[in-house]
Amino acid sequence: MRAESWTDIVQANASNNGGIVVGIDPYLPDIPAAFEREGSGTDWLPRYLDFVLDTTIGRVGFVKFQSAYFEAYGLAGLNALSLAMKRARSAGLGVILDAKRGDIGSTAAAYARAYLTPGSAGGSGDFEADCLTVNPMMGPDTLEPFLDCVRRFGKGLFVLCRTSNPGAGWLQDRMAGNRFISDRLADLIATVGKDCFQGGRLNPVGAVIGATVPQEGKRLRSLLPNAIILAPGLGPQGGDAAALDALRGSQLGDLLVPVSRGLLRADDRSITLDEYERLIEERLHLFKTMIAAPSNLSATG
Protein backbone atom coordinates (compact mmCIF):
# COMPACT_ATOMS: atom_id res chain seq x y z
CA MET A 1 0.00 0.00 0.00
CA ARG A 2 1.38 3.41 -0.97
CA ALA A 3 1.88 5.76 1.94
CA GLU A 4 0.66 8.80 -0.01
CA SER A 5 -2.99 9.57 -0.60
CA TRP A 6 -4.27 10.25 -4.12
CA THR A 7 -4.40 14.00 -3.47
CA ASP A 8 -0.83 13.97 -2.14
CA ILE A 9 0.31 12.17 -5.29
CA VAL A 10 -1.56 14.61 -7.51
CA GLN A 11 -0.15 17.75 -5.92
CA ALA A 12 3.43 16.44 -5.77
CA ASN A 13 3.47 15.03 -9.29
CA ALA A 14 1.67 18.00 -10.85
CA SER A 15 4.23 20.28 -9.21
CA ASN A 16 7.09 18.30 -10.71
CA ASN A 17 5.74 17.43 -14.16
CA GLY A 18 2.48 19.27 -14.80
CA GLY A 19 -0.99 17.88 -15.40
CA ILE A 20 -0.49 15.75 -18.49
CA VAL A 21 -1.60 12.11 -18.20
CA VAL A 22 -0.16 9.53 -20.60
CA GLY A 23 -3.11 7.50 -21.82
CA ILE A 24 -2.07 3.95 -22.72
CA ASP A 25 -4.55 2.25 -25.08
CA PRO A 26 -2.49 -0.49 -26.73
CA TYR A 27 -3.75 -1.27 -30.23
CA LEU A 28 -1.38 -2.94 -32.67
CA PRO A 29 -2.42 -0.98 -35.83
CA ASP A 30 -1.51 2.26 -34.01
CA ILE A 31 2.07 1.42 -33.04
CA PRO A 32 5.30 0.82 -35.01
CA ALA A 33 5.46 -2.50 -36.82
CA ALA A 34 8.88 -3.07 -35.22
CA PHE A 35 7.14 -4.29 -32.05
CA GLU A 36 5.21 -6.88 -34.06
CA ARG A 37 8.26 -8.14 -35.96
CA GLU A 38 10.17 -8.96 -32.80
CA GLY A 39 7.76 -11.65 -31.58
CA SER A 40 4.49 -13.44 -32.15
CA GLY A 41 0.97 -13.34 -30.77
CA THR A 42 0.75 -10.86 -27.90
CA ASP A 43 4.50 -10.89 -27.21
CA TRP A 44 4.64 -7.30 -28.40
CA LEU A 45 2.37 -6.04 -25.62
CA PRO A 46 4.70 -6.14 -22.57
CA ARG A 47 7.58 -4.88 -24.68
CA TYR A 48 5.46 -1.98 -25.91
CA LEU A 49 4.36 -1.10 -22.37
CA ASP A 50 7.95 -1.17 -21.13
CA PHE A 51 8.97 1.06 -24.04
CA VAL A 52 6.26 3.64 -23.27
CA LEU A 53 7.10 3.64 -19.56
CA ASP A 54 10.85 3.86 -20.28
CA THR A 55 10.17 6.89 -22.49
CA THR A 56 7.81 8.72 -20.15
CA ILE A 57 8.87 7.94 -16.56
CA GLY A 58 10.61 11.03 -15.23
CA ARG A 59 8.87 13.25 -17.78
CA VAL A 60 5.27 12.91 -16.58
CA GLY A 61 3.52 12.42 -13.27
CA PHE A 62 0.50 10.37 -14.31
CA VAL A 63 -0.52 7.47 -16.49
CA LYS A 64 -3.99 6.21 -17.41
CA PHE A 65 -4.54 2.62 -18.50
CA GLN A 66 -7.74 1.96 -20.46
CA SER A 67 -8.73 -1.49 -19.26
CA ALA A 68 -10.81 -2.41 -22.32
CA TYR A 69 -7.77 -2.49 -24.59
CA PHE A 70 -6.06 -4.97 -22.28
CA GLU A 71 -9.18 -7.09 -21.78
CA ALA A 72 -9.42 -7.42 -25.57
CA TYR A 73 -6.15 -9.40 -25.52
CA GLY A 74 -7.43 -11.91 -22.98
CA LEU A 75 -5.28 -13.32 -20.20
CA ALA A 76 -2.08 -12.07 -21.81
CA GLY A 77 -3.49 -8.55 -21.87
CA LEU A 78 -4.59 -8.67 -18.24
CA ASN A 79 -1.19 -9.98 -17.14
CA ALA A 80 0.54 -7.20 -19.08
CA LEU A 81 -1.79 -4.62 -17.51
CA SER A 82 -1.04 -5.85 -14.00
CA LEU A 83 2.73 -5.74 -14.52
CA ALA A 84 2.61 -2.28 -16.12
CA MET A 85 0.42 -0.86 -13.34
CA LYS A 86 2.76 -2.19 -10.68
CA ARG A 87 5.82 -0.81 -12.45
CA ALA A 88 4.22 2.62 -12.91
CA ARG A 89 3.19 2.86 -9.25
CA SER A 90 6.64 1.70 -8.11
CA ALA A 91 8.16 4.48 -10.24
CA GLY A 92 6.04 7.06 -8.43
CA LEU A 93 3.53 7.75 -11.19
CA GLY A 94 -0.06 8.39 -10.23
CA VAL A 95 -1.91 5.46 -11.81
CA ILE A 96 -5.46 5.93 -13.09
CA LEU A 97 -7.37 2.86 -14.24
CA ASP A 98 -10.00 3.89 -16.77
CA ALA A 99 -12.56 1.12 -16.31
CA LYS A 100 -15.77 3.18 -15.83
CA ARG A 101 -17.19 0.64 -13.42
CA GLY A 102 -20.61 1.08 -11.86
CA ASP A 103 -23.02 -1.51 -10.51
CA ILE A 104 -25.16 -2.31 -7.52
CA GLY A 105 -24.49 -3.84 -4.12
CA SER A 106 -22.06 -6.70 -3.87
CA THR A 107 -20.97 -6.32 -7.51
CA ALA A 108 -19.82 -2.74 -6.93
CA ALA A 109 -18.05 -3.95 -3.78
CA ALA A 110 -16.24 -6.60 -5.83
CA TYR A 111 -15.09 -3.98 -8.34
CA ALA A 112 -13.81 -1.87 -5.45
CA ARG A 113 -11.85 -4.85 -4.08
CA ALA A 114 -10.41 -5.53 -7.52
CA TYR A 115 -9.16 -2.03 -8.31
CA LEU A 116 -8.90 0.06 -5.13
CA THR A 117 -8.20 -2.35 -2.27
CA PRO A 118 -4.56 -3.11 -1.35
CA GLY A 119 -3.55 -6.75 -1.10
CA SER A 120 -2.86 -6.27 2.59
CA ALA A 121 -6.51 -5.28 3.10
CA GLY A 122 -8.20 -8.10 1.21
CA GLY A 123 -7.70 -7.17 -2.43
CA SER A 124 -5.66 -9.21 -4.87
CA GLY A 125 -3.32 -6.30 -5.57
CA ASP A 126 -3.06 -7.42 -9.19
CA PHE A 127 -4.90 -4.37 -10.58
CA GLU A 128 -4.61 -1.92 -7.71
CA ALA A 129 -4.77 1.66 -8.97
CA ASP A 130 -4.43 4.99 -7.21
CA CYS A 131 -7.59 6.27 -8.88
CA LEU A 132 -10.50 4.71 -10.79
CA THR A 133 -13.05 6.09 -13.25
CA VAL A 134 -16.62 5.18 -12.24
CA ASN A 135 -20.06 5.50 -13.81
CA PRO A 136 -22.77 6.91 -11.50
CA MET A 137 -25.75 6.40 -13.81
CA MET A 138 -27.32 3.65 -11.65
CA GLY A 139 -27.49 5.94 -8.63
CA PRO A 140 -25.53 7.21 -5.62
CA ASP A 141 -25.62 3.85 -3.81
CA THR A 142 -23.43 2.34 -6.54
CA LEU A 143 -20.62 4.73 -5.56
CA GLU A 144 -20.50 3.81 -1.88
CA PRO A 145 -18.08 0.82 -2.09
CA PHE A 146 -15.65 2.98 -4.07
CA LEU A 147 -16.04 5.88 -1.65
CA ASP A 148 -15.24 3.50 1.19
CA CYS A 149 -11.88 2.82 -0.47
CA VAL A 150 -11.29 6.56 -0.80
CA ARG A 151 -11.86 6.99 2.92
CA ARG A 152 -9.99 3.88 4.09
CA PHE A 153 -7.07 3.68 1.69
CA GLY A 154 -6.58 7.24 0.39
CA LYS A 155 -7.71 6.36 -3.13
CA GLY A 156 -9.22 8.66 -5.75
CA LEU A 157 -12.25 8.55 -8.04
CA PHE A 158 -13.16 10.24 -11.28
CA VAL A 159 -16.94 10.16 -11.65
CA LEU A 160 -18.42 10.63 -15.13
CA CYS A 161 -20.06 14.06 -15.33
CA ARG A 162 -19.96 15.54 -18.85
CA THR A 163 -18.00 13.31 -21.20
CA SER A 164 -16.13 14.20 -24.39
CA ASN A 165 -17.86 11.91 -26.89
CA PRO A 166 -20.10 13.44 -29.60
CA GLY A 167 -23.24 11.74 -28.30
CA ALA A 168 -22.80 12.82 -24.68
CA GLY A 169 -25.31 15.64 -24.97
CA TRP A 170 -28.15 13.20 -25.73
CA LEU A 171 -28.46 12.58 -22.00
CA GLN A 172 -25.98 14.75 -20.15
CA ASP A 173 -27.22 18.05 -21.65
CA ARG A 174 -30.91 17.24 -21.11
CA MET A 175 -32.94 19.12 -18.54
CA ALA A 176 -34.29 17.27 -15.51
CA GLY A 177 -36.61 19.64 -13.73
CA ASN A 178 -34.81 22.96 -14.05
CA ARG A 179 -31.25 21.53 -14.09
CA PHE A 180 -29.05 19.94 -16.70
CA ILE A 181 -28.36 16.28 -15.94
CA SER A 182 -24.63 17.04 -15.95
CA ASP A 183 -25.28 19.69 -13.27
CA ARG A 184 -27.09 17.11 -11.17
CA LEU A 185 -24.14 14.77 -11.60
CA ALA A 186 -21.80 17.56 -10.47
CA ASP A 187 -23.99 18.07 -7.39
CA LEU A 188 -23.78 14.35 -6.68
CA ILE A 189 -19.99 14.38 -7.01
CA ALA A 190 -19.71 17.35 -4.63
CA THR A 191 -22.12 15.77 -2.15
CA VAL A 192 -20.56 12.30 -1.96
CA GLY A 193 -17.10 13.81 -1.75
CA LYS A 194 -17.85 15.95 1.28
CA ASP A 195 -16.77 13.42 3.88
CA CYS A 196 -13.62 12.65 1.87
CA PHE A 197 -12.56 16.29 1.72
CA GLN A 198 -9.96 17.68 4.10
CA GLY A 199 -10.02 21.47 4.32
CA GLY A 200 -7.99 23.34 1.72
CA ARG A 201 -6.76 20.22 -0.04
CA LEU A 202 -8.11 18.86 -3.27
CA ASN A 203 -11.10 16.57 -3.06
CA PRO A 204 -10.16 12.99 -3.99
CA VAL A 205 -13.60 12.52 -5.55
CA GLY A 206 -13.25 14.23 -8.93
CA ALA A 207 -15.11 14.47 -12.21
CA VAL A 208 -14.63 13.49 -15.85
CA ILE A 209 -15.46 16.58 -17.93
CA GLY A 210 -14.38 16.68 -21.56
CA ALA A 211 -12.11 19.32 -23.05
CA THR A 212 -14.55 19.36 -25.97
CA VAL A 213 -17.22 21.41 -24.15
CA PRO A 214 -15.86 24.77 -22.90
CA GLN A 215 -19.27 26.29 -22.07
CA GLU A 216 -20.41 23.28 -20.07
CA GLY A 217 -16.96 22.98 -18.53
CA LYS A 218 -17.01 26.50 -17.13
CA ARG A 219 -20.44 25.95 -15.58
CA LEU A 220 -19.51 22.61 -14.08
CA ARG A 221 -16.19 23.83 -12.69
CA SER A 222 -18.14 26.48 -10.74
CA LEU A 223 -20.11 23.65 -9.11
CA LEU A 224 -16.93 21.69 -8.32
CA PRO A 225 -14.40 24.25 -7.04
CA ASN A 226 -12.23 21.77 -5.12
CA ALA A 227 -12.54 18.76 -7.40
CA ILE A 228 -9.79 17.31 -9.55
CA ILE A 229 -11.11 17.29 -13.11
CA LEU A 230 -9.98 14.70 -15.64
CA ALA A 231 -10.42 16.39 -19.01
CA PRO A 232 -10.13 14.03 -22.00
CA GLY A 233 -10.61 15.14 -25.60
CA LEU A 234 -7.40 16.81 -26.82
CA GLY A 235 -5.93 15.42 -30.03
CA PRO A 236 -8.06 13.30 -32.39
CA GLN A 237 -11.30 14.03 -30.50
CA GLY A 238 -10.92 17.67 -31.46
CA GLY A 239 -10.84 19.11 -27.96
CA ASP A 240 -10.41 22.86 -27.74
CA ALA A 241 -7.32 23.78 -25.76
CA ALA A 242 -9.08 26.98 -24.66
CA ALA A 243 -11.60 24.77 -22.85
CA LEU A 244 -8.86 23.90 -20.40
CA ASP A 245 -8.95 27.49 -19.14
CA ALA A 246 -12.60 27.01 -18.22
CA LEU A 247 -11.86 23.75 -16.41
CA ARG A 248 -8.83 24.96 -14.48
CA GLY A 249 -9.46 25.83 -10.84
CA SER A 250 -7.31 27.65 -8.34
CA GLN A 251 -5.29 24.78 -6.87
CA LEU A 252 -2.23 22.98 -8.12
CA GLY A 253 -3.21 19.66 -9.67
CA ASP A 254 -6.94 20.33 -9.99
CA LEU A 255 -6.84 19.70 -13.76
CA LEU A 256 -5.40 16.52 -15.26
CA VAL A 257 -5.42 16.09 -19.04
CA PRO A 258 -5.08 12.62 -20.55
CA VAL A 259 -3.68 12.25 -24.05
CA SER A 260 -3.48 8.81 -25.64
CA ARG A 261 -3.72 8.52 -29.43
CA GLY A 262 -2.51 12.09 -29.91
CA LEU A 263 0.64 11.19 -28.01
CA LEU A 264 1.36 7.54 -28.81
CA ARG A 265 -0.18 6.74 -32.19
CA ALA A 266 2.32 6.19 -35.00
CA ASP A 267 0.77 7.32 -38.28
CA ASP A 268 3.71 5.76 -40.10
CA ARG A 269 4.12 2.23 -38.78
CA SER A 270 7.44 1.80 -40.60
CA ILE A 271 9.33 4.17 -38.30
CA THR A 272 12.14 2.81 -36.18
CA LEU A 273 11.87 2.62 -32.40
CA ASP A 274 14.43 5.42 -32.08
CA GLU A 275 12.25 7.59 -34.30
CA TYR A 276 9.17 6.62 -32.32
CA GLU A 277 10.86 7.57 -29.06
CA ARG A 278 11.77 11.00 -30.47
CA LEU A 279 8.20 11.43 -31.77
CA ILE A 280 6.74 10.73 -28.32
CA GLU A 281 9.19 13.13 -26.69
CA GLU A 282 8.34 15.91 -29.18
CA ARG A 283 4.60 15.41 -28.76
CA LEU A 284 4.96 15.24 -25.01
CA HIS A 285 6.72 18.59 -24.98
CA LEU A 286 3.99 20.11 -27.17
CA PHE A 287 1.14 18.83 -25.03
CA LYS A 288 2.83 19.82 -21.78
CA THR A 289 3.22 23.35 -23.15
CA MET A 290 -0.38 23.35 -24.33
CA ILE A 291 -1.71 22.25 -20.96
CA ALA A 292 0.41 24.82 -19.14
CA ALA A 293 -0.91 27.66 -21.33
CA PRO A 294 -3.98 26.32 -23.16
CA SER A 295 -5.47 29.60 -24.36
CA ASN A 296 -2.36 30.50 -26.34
CA LEU A 297 -2.10 27.33 -28.38
CA SER A 298 -4.35 25.14 -30.47
CA ALA A 299 -4.81 21.38 -30.09
CA THR A 300 -3.03 19.07 -32.45
CA GLY A 301 -3.57 15.44 -33.33
Side-chain angles (χ1 to χ4, degrees):
M1 179 175 171
R2 284 174 92 156
E4 311 99 322
S5 69
W6 169 240
T7 51
D8 289 338
I9 293 168
V10 168
Q11 291 186 314
N13 289 9
S15 176
N16 292 330
N17 289 294
I20 190 168
V21 180
V22 176
I24 302 183
D25 307 349
Y27 182 51
L28 196 54
D30 283 348
I31 70 172
F35 288 104
E36 191 175 8
R37 296 190 200 106
E38 293 177 9
S40 60
T42 55
D43 290 349
W44 63 273
L45 186 52
R47 287 184 285 103
Y48 173 70
L49 296 173
D50 279 338
F51 181 93
V52 172
L53 292 175
D54 286 343
T55 305
T56 56
I57 286 174
R59 295 186 171 94
V60 301
F62 308 93
V63 64
K64 179 174 74 69
F65 296 96
Q66 169 49 260
S67 66
Y69 282 86
F70 295 88
E71 293 165 21
Y73 294 112
L75 294 178
L78 293 175
N79 185 60
L81 172 62
S82 177
L83 292 174
M85 290 177 68
K86 290 174 181 176
R87 180 184 172 192
R89 294 185 76 227
S90 294
L93 297 179
V95 173
I96 303 165
L97 183 64
D98 191 356
K100 299 183 178 70
R101 298 302 194 235
D103 214 317
I104 59 173
S106 58
T107 306
Y111 282 136
R113 287 198 304 276
Y115 304 125
L116 294 177
T117 302
S120 59
S124 71
D126 289 340
F127 303 104
E128 184 188 352
D130 298 305
C131 185
L132 179 71
T133 61
V134 293
N135 188 334
M137 297 303 174
M138 292 177 70
D141 56 309
T142 65
L143 298 179
E144 187 52 42
F146 304 109
L147 292 167
D148 185 56
C149 290
V150 173
R151 293 186 289 261
R152 293 175 62 198
F153 308 125
K155 299 298 187 178
L157 297 180
F158 282 121
V159 184
L160 300 186
C161 184
R162 204 319 182 165
T163 54
S164 60
N165 55 303
W170 177 82
L171 178 63
Q172 296 162 29
D173 293 344
R174 293 288 181 92
M175 298 291 286
N178 62 348
R179 305 287 307 284
F180 289 108
I181 288 176
S182 57
D183 288 1
R184 291 183 176 273
L185 290 170
D187 289 344
L188 171 64
I189 294 165
T191 299
V192 300
K194 277 183 179 177
D195 67 346
C196 302
F197 182 57
Q198 299 178 6
R201 300 176 62 199
L202 295 170
N203 197 317
V205 182
V208 178
I209 302 174
T212 53
V213 286
Q215 255 188 321
E216 291 84 349
K218 184 175 183 179
R219 185 185 75 247
L220 294 167
R221 167 51 88 181
S222 71
L223 298 174
L224 295 164
N226 297 110
I228 305 168
I229 289 177
L230 185 71
L234 290 187
Q237 290 190 61
D240 182 355
L244 299 181
D245 280 334
L247 291 169
R248 197 182 309 277
S250 60
Q251 294 193 65
L252 176 66
D254 62 12
L255 179 64
L256 300 183
V257 183
V259 187
S260 51
R261 287 174 295 168
L263 180 62
L264 298 180
R265 182 173 61 189
D267 297 314
D268 177 7
R269 295 195 69 215
S270 68
I271 63 173
T272 67
L273 296 188
D274 286 342
E275 291 170 331
Y276 186 46
E277 182 177 4
R278 287 194 295 273
L279 178 64
I280 294 172
E281 290 173 351
E282 290 168 3
R283 287 174 173 175
L284 190 57
H285 175 74
L286 176 63
F287 278 112
K288 288 178 78 169
T289 304
M290 181 188 300
I291 290 166
S295 61
N296 299 323
L297 294 162
S298 59
T300 65

